[in-house]
Amino acid sequence: MNDDPSGLGESPALTDFLGVADRKPRPGDGTHNTGGIPIAPAQHPGYGITSEQLAEAQRRFTNYARLRIMGTGNREYSRGSSQAFEDMSLHRLIDEMRDEIADAVNYLTFLDVQLSRWKNNLEARL
């Protein structure tokens, strides 16, 4: 059983930031290439979640998104004292956003395929 709901590797700064202090790293954990900070969204095993736990999960995921800004986003879009999007033409910004929306649709399609498979597998077991 997964005893860690966070899905994070071990890093004092990150675990303090995300609120998970006893997580041990796993072979599949990703890492931030410049700081050694593990990057992985929270995992939520099991059934049942209180409103407080849901709010905490949302906080951790928001913090994960913030870490993406400081990691991948920093490497790809930081221009020192500005961000690449600030200098993009409106047309380029729209094109970039449409690319991101297309990627999101693709990831949602991947998820839907997996959910369908999981559902079929569960139904076959019942």
Side-chain angles (χ1 to χ4, degrees), residues 2-95:
N2 180 5
D3 60 350
D4 169 34
S6 72
L8 297 168
E10 193 170 352
S11 168
L14 183 64
T15 55
D16 182 57
F17 183 62
L18 296 176
V20 181
D22 59 348
R23 167 67 157 84
K24 301 296 182 227
R26 288 194 283 252
D29 288 344
T31 59
H32 181 299
N33 291 334
T34 61
I37 298 173
I39 302 296
Q43 297 175 6
H44 309 285
Y47 175 82
I49 189 166
T50 66
S51 295
E52 291 79 13
Q53 290 168 324
L54 182 58
E56 178 64 12
Q58 187 276 339
R59 182 189 71 80
R60 284 195 319 261
F61 195 82
T62 300
N63 287 344
Y64 169 69
R66 291 171 57 199
L67 288 172
R68 298 260 313 144
I69 290 172
M70 298 308 298
T72 302
N74 189 49
R75 285 188 303 277
E76 293 182 15
Y77 300 106
S78 178
R79 303 297 182 259
S81 62
S82 65
Q83 297 294 310
F85 75 87
E86 293 179 287
D87 296 323
M88 286 182 189
S89 69
L90 184 55
H91 291 284
R92 176 156 181 223
L93 187 57
I94 290 169
D95 288 344

Side-chain angles (χ1 to χ4, degrees), residues 106-122:
N106 291 335
Y107 282 112
L108 289 171
T109 301
F110 304 158
L111 179 59
D112 184 61
V113 168
Q114 288 294 73
L115 288 172
S116 175
R117 290 175 179 166
W118 295 335
K119 181 181 178 191
N120 289 337
N121 191 3
L122 288 172

